[in-house]
């Protein structure tokens, strides 16, 4: 049973059909181009195997790889071509390999090009396929030897295939010295693959649909990977396409002084930025909301870029929050993200999957500093974060992101300014008073309601986070060098070496 009557031929590539608005229009010729190693053959095999799985006749005409290489390539992804796909290995006739035969009155290229085209058409007529892959055009370009003959040959092939209502995928490895765009103007659509090599980390791959006649598609670059099983594409996230209804309520953290500072809590479906120097407890404040979400019967997803999970489990357990136990019970999803191995598109897809399949209503991204390492430039980070935060907000999820600033006291500098993206901004600071290094917290911004404009001291101990009364007797705390101007010092009591209050 085939789906030949449907308007689109699905590619069988996860995410690519979404970009192409359903797949490739049937009865047309498409170009899949990219440098060697970018994933053309893998996508082509997935395209044919998808057709074979629904009973369509498929043929792979190869001018560069052998049948054995193609079958081995499919097996490396756990797919057995079997008899689902006809593989036609096109080799030149023996006479064309004979040096004596090439020295004739006719140019050998005339014989080779004509014979090659004839063999392609004969193989097509024999199989009468619904789907065709020709690999690769660089061989035909070399045989044509001129742009005019090459264009005529491509046009002849296009007209031949159009009469048969077959969907054809032409592969081009772009190895010619001159970037000949002849095929671009002839084919119905063009998919361009790129492979990038960052200064550090694994290679990054992305694709872009350059052209698709009479069809809307998702433009721009989309990250993709080649994994066991084939190619997986991560369509660029557009938050405007994802809306869901939910009730905007106020969510408390469980620490009364902290909630008072926040004006009662944070609004559901909002984003919160925790910003401050290293060691101020940004992660702990975010995890406080995770614990509160678990108590409400919700699930949470935590993505850690910087800290090793074993260390995180150990130190939070000492403060009464057993993340490992919550993980074993299926109440949270937590994973350590390697920015050097993960593209921004794949990370966004992972977050989306956790919200959709795991039903996570609280998402923690710790930290933006690690996330930035996966970005080619700062502008890309801002755009990625904007779409991701907007998407999470529209799903009714609460997002907590952290940014580590450079410096400890005095002037602070952030690696990237994302404060305007977040709905709530919480500022953490060190300050010195009475010969001790202390910590202070303040809410700088809250779009969804009123909040205290005070500064409160807080401590991190075996019982977790403890916030004190507003520090009304000091000035200059946020600069790290406070000046006492009051008649009393409302600082939190600390413990001396013997455990007594001091």
């Amino acid at each position: 049973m085939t789906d030949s009557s449907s308007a689109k031929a699905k590619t069988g590539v996860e995410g690519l059909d979404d970009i192409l608005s359903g797949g490739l229009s049937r009865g047309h010729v498409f170009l899949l181009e990219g440098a060697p190693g970018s994933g053309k053959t893998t996508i082509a095999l997935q395209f044919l195997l998808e057709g074979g799985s629904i009973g369509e006749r498929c043929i792979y005409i190869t001018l560069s790889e052998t049948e054995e290489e193609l079958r081995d390539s499919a097996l490396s992804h756990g797919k057995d071509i079997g008899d689902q796909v006809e593989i036609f290995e096109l080799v030149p006739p023996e006479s064309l390999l004979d040096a004596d035969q090439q020295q004739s009155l006719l140019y050998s290229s005339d014989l080779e090009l004509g014979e090659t085209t004839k063999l392609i058409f004969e193989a097509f007529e024999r199989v009468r396929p619904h789907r065709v892959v020709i690999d690769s055009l660089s061989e035909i370009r070399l045989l044509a030897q001129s742009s005019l003959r090459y264009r005529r040959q491509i046009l002849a092939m296009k007209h031949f295939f159009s009469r048969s209502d077959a969907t054809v995928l032409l592969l081009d490895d772009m190895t010619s010295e001159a970037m000949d765009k002849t095929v671009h103007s002839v084919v119905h659509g063009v998919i361009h693959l790129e492979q990038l090599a960052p200064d550090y980390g694994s290679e990054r791959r992305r694709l872009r649909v350059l052209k698709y006649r009479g069809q809307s598609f998702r433009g721009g670059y989309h990250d993709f990977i080649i994994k066991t099983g084939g190619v997986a594409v991560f369509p660029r996230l557009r938050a405007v396409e994802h809306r869901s209804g939910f009730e905007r309520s106020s969510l408390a953290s469980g620490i009364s002084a902290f909630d008072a500072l926040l004006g009662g809590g944070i609004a559901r479906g909002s984003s919160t930025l925790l910003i401050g120097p290293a060691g101020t407890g940004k992660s702990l404040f975010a995890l406080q909301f995770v614990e509160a979400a678990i108590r409400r019967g919700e699930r949470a997803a935590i993505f850690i870029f910087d800290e090793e999970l074993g260390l995180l489990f150990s130190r939070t357990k000492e403060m009464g929050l057993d993340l490992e136990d919550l993980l074993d019970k299926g109440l949270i999803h937590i994973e350590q993200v390697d920015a050097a191995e993960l593209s921004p598109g794949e990370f966004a897809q992972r977050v989306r999957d956790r919200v959709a399949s795991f039903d996570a209503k609280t998402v923690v991204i710790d930290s933006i500093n690690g996330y930035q390492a996966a970005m080619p430039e700062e502008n890309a980070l801002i755009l990625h974060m904007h779409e991701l935060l907007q998407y999470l907000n529209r799903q009714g999820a609460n997002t907590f992101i952290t940014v580590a600033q450079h410096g400890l006291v005095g002037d602070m500098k952030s690696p990237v300014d994302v404060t305007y993206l977040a709905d709530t901004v919480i500022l953490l600071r060190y300050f010195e008073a009475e010969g001790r290094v202390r910590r202070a917290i303040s809410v700088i911004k809250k779009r969804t309601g009123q909040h205290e404009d005070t500064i409160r001291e807080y401590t991190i101990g075996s019982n977790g986070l403890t916030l004190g009364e507003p520090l009304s007797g000091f000035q200059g705390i946020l600069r790290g060098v406070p000046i006492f101007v009051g008649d009393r010092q409302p600082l939190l009591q600390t413990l001396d070496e013997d455990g007594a209050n001091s």
Side-chain angles (χ1 to χ4, degrees), residues 382-404:
I382 296 295
L383 293 173
H384 274 279
M385 286 304 304
H386 177 269
E387 292 297 329
L388 184 57
L389 292 179
Q390 287 291 321
Y391 166 80
L392 292 170
N393 287 357
R394 292 179 180 187
Q395 300 304 305
N398 286 88
T399 312
F400 298 88
I401 52 180
T402 66
V403 173

Side-chain angles (χ1 to χ4, degrees), residues 232-467:
V233 182
F234 309 107
R236 181 172 53 82
L237 178 61
R238 293 188 65 218
V240 71
E241 299 175 353
H242 305 274
R243 295 181 181 273
S244 64
F246 61 92
E247 181 182 352
R248 290 198 180 273
S249 55
S250 184
L251 306 177
S253 68
I255 301 176
S256 57
F258 188 25
D259 292 332
L261 185 65
L262 289 165
I266 60 173
R268 180 175 293 282
S270 66
S271 56
T272 302
L273 173 67
L274 294 143
I275 184 169
T280 47
K282 299 180 294 297
S283 303
L284 294 179
F285 275 102
L287 292 175
Q288 183 65 41
F289 282 98
V290 170
E291 186 178 18
I294 300 300
R295 288 198 299 267
R296 291 194 301 269
E298 299 174 355
R299 293 178 175 179
I302 307 170
F303 299 90
I304 305 295
F305 280 88
D306 307 323
E307 190 171 2
E308 198 274 325
L309 287 185
L311 179 59
L312 177 66
F313 291 153
S314 175
R315 70 185 183 94
T316 54
K317 190 172 184 179
E318 292 177 357
M319 290 182 246
L321 179 58
D322 194 340
L323 291 178
E324 276 190 289
D325 182 58
L326 296 176
L327 183 63
D328 293 339
K329 291 178 178 178
L331 299 176
I332 65 171
H333 168 86
I334 185 167
E335 65 177 278
Q336 190 166 15
V337 181
D338 188 349
E341 302 296 324
L342 196 69
S343 68
E346 184 177 0
F347 174 69
Q349 187 65 49
R350 286 191 185 184
V351 175
R352 292 173 62 185
D353 289 343
R354 296 287 74 78
V355 172
S357 61
F358 191 67
D359 194 28
K361 292 301 182 185
T362 298
V363 177
V364 175
I365 300 175
D366 185 18
S367 66
I368 295 299
N369 304 69
Y371 191 26
Q372 185 187 27
M375 302 292 159
E377 56 186 10
E378 181 179 316
N379 290 337
L381 171 64
I382 296 295
L383 293 173
H384 274 279
M385 286 304 304
H386 177 269
E387 292 297 329
L388 184 57
L389 292 179
Q390 287 291 321
Y391 166 80
L392 292 170
N393 287 357
R394 292 179 180 187
Q395 300 304 305
N398 286 88
T399 312
F400 298 88
I401 52 180
T402 66
V403 173
Q405 292 180 297
H406 304 311
L408 295 177
V409 295
D411 292 336
M412 297 284 118
K413 293 184 178 179
S414 298
V416 60
D417 183 14
V418 292
T419 55
Y420 76 95
L421 293 180
D423 300 307
T424 303
V425 178
I426 300 174
L427 182 65
L428 307 178
R429 280 287 182 268
Y430 289 114
F431 71 100
E432 178 190 358
E434 297 182 344
R436 295 179 181 271
V437 176
R438 300 173 181 267
R439 298 178 176 93
I441 182 172
S442 181
V443 176
I444 304 300
K445 163 190 174 184
K446 186 182 178 185
R447 286 183 179 140
T448 55
Q450 298 296 317
H451 63 88
E452 281 188 7
D453 56 3
T454 60
I455 302 170
R456 291 176 180 258
E457 186 187 1
Y458 66 95
T459 60
I460 301 174
S462 59
N463 294 325
L465 296 163
T466 302
L467 273 72

Side-chain angles (χ1 to χ4, degrees), residues 29 41-42 53 59 74 88 103 107 115 144 147 163 190 210 223 232 238 275 310 316 321 335 337 339 378 408 458 462:
V29 179
T41 301
T42 305
S53 68
I59 184 170
F88 180 62
Q103 304 300 322
Y107 289 107
E115 187 70 20
S147 180
R163 294 195 299 268
V190 180
L210 300 181
D223 294 323
R238 293 188 65 218
I275 184 169
T316 54
L321 179 58
E335 65 177 278
V337 181
E378 181 179 316
L408 295 177
Y458 66 95
S462 59

Side-chain angles (χ1 to χ4, degrees), residues 486-497:
D487 55 1
R488 63 187 182 89
Q489 300 183 23
L491 294 172
L492 288 172
Q493 294 293 307
T494 58
L495 297 177
D496 59 23
E497 294 180 357

